Amino acid sequence: MLVPREPKLARPYHFKVNREMAAVFRNSKFSVNVNLALAYGTIAATMLVGLANISGVDGASAMYVFGDSYVDTGNFRDLSAFPPYGSIWPGYPAGRFNEGRNLADCIAELFDLPYPTPYLRLENNSEALRGVNFARSGAGVTYAYGLTALVSQVDEIEALVEKHVLTKAHLRKSVALVNIGVNDYHVRNRRGAFQEHDKEQELHTTITTIVDGIALSLVRLYGLGVRNIVVSNLALMACAPFVTEVTTFTSCSRNATLLTQTSLHNSLLQQRVKTLNRNLGGLHIILVDQTKAFEVLFHHGSEHGFENTMTPCCIGKAVPHGLVCGHNDTAGHPMYTLCEDPSKHVLFDTIHPSEAAWQTAVDLFAHVDGFTVGGPTLRAWMSKHGV
């Protein structure tokens, strides 16, 4: 099957804002620039008015996924198109950035739903009804790496609704998964702001822009009919291998910028989710604590069967491929080292968790109190709302 090319970078939109919309984003200890936040999505002026209060559904019909490489299952194939990606499951490189299943796959299994088809690989309308994955590796809320940003991913599901491939009634019975944000901060930090301490206001503005971009996309999904949404907070950037390499993968960073980005992003996202749940009738968002789950895996992974909690399974051998998994030299020899058993590692490559780590994280979300933010366990949330 031919794979469509990655869509060109979309341009920012112009849109209308009404008083109700602006009010949703003013309930925060941060000073929210509504116009700046709205620069990442189209919102109809009447979206918050007159939408029906939809009660829980009797089991989700399908899952729709938005985000980055933590949940991309085949829309953007670069390094993930080469071995050893996919070596454990499905047995060949299939677009997931680890050796097997990722967060989207594990969440689909939890909900007892089919794995959503990558958007760029849809072959017919019936596939869309079984779930679609719109996520792109490298994507952000802003146009982090020039790839399909969150706003454009929501445009894609909106187009399916406008073409009557998906209906609002179907989406009310489905569940959405959103995991995004870390690429926005990574790009900012690479510009030099990572080590600077005189950019506090700029940092707060950046965090507000990113979080409000997520919130606006959640409102757009609500307007399309989606009522049940699982949202992840940030990955634990301070423990990513590209940061911990300097300590030979022995300890997480104490860099103030990384820690501030994570804590403020998570705090503001929690406020936005709470505000949306309170103001939009019938909306059920649950915020899973990805940061806390991976703190446990990095620092107490042995309690969950992991022998290597911070050292990646796959590590590049040589510059410019340092830490990059999946490259071969001109003779076809791997330019990386690979562990014997990825299931004993929390991390598979430079930043992406192993399948075993994702399964453990989802188990924590689903069954252990304290691994969702301000709510019940994920499994209890599913039961409460009939998802």
Side-chain angles (χ1 to χ4, degrees), residues 7-127:
K8 292 183 179 179
L9 179 65
R11 294 184 299 173
Y13 290 90
H14 300 285
F15 37 68
K16 302 174 184 178
V17 183
N18 67 349
R19 293 178 181 176
E20 291 90 346
M21 175 62 67
V24 170
F25 299 100
R26 289 200 176 106
N27 183 20
S28 168
K29 65 180 180 182
F30 290 94
S31 177
V32 178
N33 184 331
V34 174
N35 291 329
L36 183 62
L38 289 174
Y40 297 98
T42 50
I43 304 289
T46 58
M47 182 172 288
L48 293 181
V49 181
L51 291 172
N53 189 336
I54 305 298
S55 60
V57 296
D58 186 17
S61 299
M63 188 169 80
Y64 296 89
V65 181
F66 308 85
D68 52 29
S69 59
Y70 274 19
V71 289
D72 185 0
T73 56
N75 283 313
F76 182 78
R77 294 176 62 181
D78 185 8
L79 292 176
S80 62
F82 302 97
Y85 292 101
S87 57
I88 303 300
W89 186 89
Y92 55 88
R96 293 163 177 81
F97 276 81
N98 61 4
E99 84 288 8
R101 297 167 180 83
N102 66 17
L103 175 61
D105 301 304
C106 294
I107 291 288
E109 290 177 352
L110 177 68
F111 282 86
D112 196 24
L113 292 171
Y115 298 134
T117 301
Y119 175 71
L120 296 182
R121 306 185 191 288
L122 283 174
E123 294 184 348
N124 53 57
N125 293 350
S126 62
E127 282 191 343

Side-chain angles (χ1 to χ4, degrees), residues 242-259:
F242 64 83
V243 175
T244 63
E245 179 189 17
V246 296
T247 64
T248 320
F249 312 115
T250 58
S251 62
C252 298
S253 172
R254 295 184 179 180
N255 181 276
T257 299
L258 287 177
L259 298 175

Side-chain angles (χ1 to χ4, degrees), residues 47 56 180 192 222 243 262 278 318:
M47 182 172 288
I180 202 161
Y222 177 85
V243 175
T262 302
R278 184 173 61 244

Side-chain angles (χ1 to χ4, degrees), residues 223-284:
L224 295 174
V226 179
R227 293 295 182 268
N228 304 291
I229 308 177
V230 179
V231 179
S232 299
N233 62 12
L234 275 189
L236 194 59
M237 293 185 290
C239 296
F242 64 83
V243 175
T244 63
E245 179 189 17
V246 296
T247 64
T248 320
F249 312 115
T250 58
S251 62
C252 298
S253 172
R254 295 184 179 180
N255 181 276
T257 299
L258 287 177
L259 298 175
T260 298
Q261 287 172 342
T262 302
S263 62
L264 294 187
H265 174 103
N266 289 352
S267 176
L268 185 56
L269 183 60
Q270 179 181 2
Q271 292 178 42
R272 294 295 185 263
V273 166
K274 182 178 180 180
T275 299
L276 294 178
N277 277 332
R278 184 173 61 244
N279 285 274
L280 301 183
L283 179 62
H284 310 298

Side-chain angles (χ1 to χ4, degrees), residues 116-146:
T117 301
Y119 175 71
L120 296 182
R121 306 185 191 288
L122 283 174
E123 294 184 348
N124 53 57
N125 293 350
S126 62
E127 282 191 343
L129 291 171
R130 290 168 55 83
V132 182
N133 190 321
F134 300 91
R136 303 295 203 286
S137 299
V141 178
T142 61
Y143 294 108
Y145 288 106

Side-chain angles (χ1 to χ4, degrees), residues 176-247:
L177 170 65
V178 180
N179 184 312
I180 202 161
V182 69
N183 289 318
D184 299 282
Y185 295 109
H186 190 206
V187 168
R188 174 197 178 272
N189 294 340
R190 289 177 62 186
R191 294 200 304 264
F194 181 76
Q195 299 294 345
E196 296 179 17
H197 300 285
D198 59 347
K199 294 184 176 290
E200 182 176 355
Q201 184 56 52
E202 181 271 343
L203 178 58
H204 280 238
T205 299
T206 297
I207 292 169
T208 300
T209 299
I210 293 167
V211 173
D212 282 352
I214 295 172
L216 264 292
S217 289
L218 297 177
V219 175
R220 288 185 66 195
L221 291 174
Y222 177 85
L224 295 174
V226 179
R227 293 295 182 268
N228 304 291
I229 308 177
V230 179
V231 179
S232 299
N233 62 12
L234 275 189
L236 194 59
M237 293 185 290
C239 296
F242 64 83
V243 175
T244 63
E245 179 189 17
V246 296
T247 64

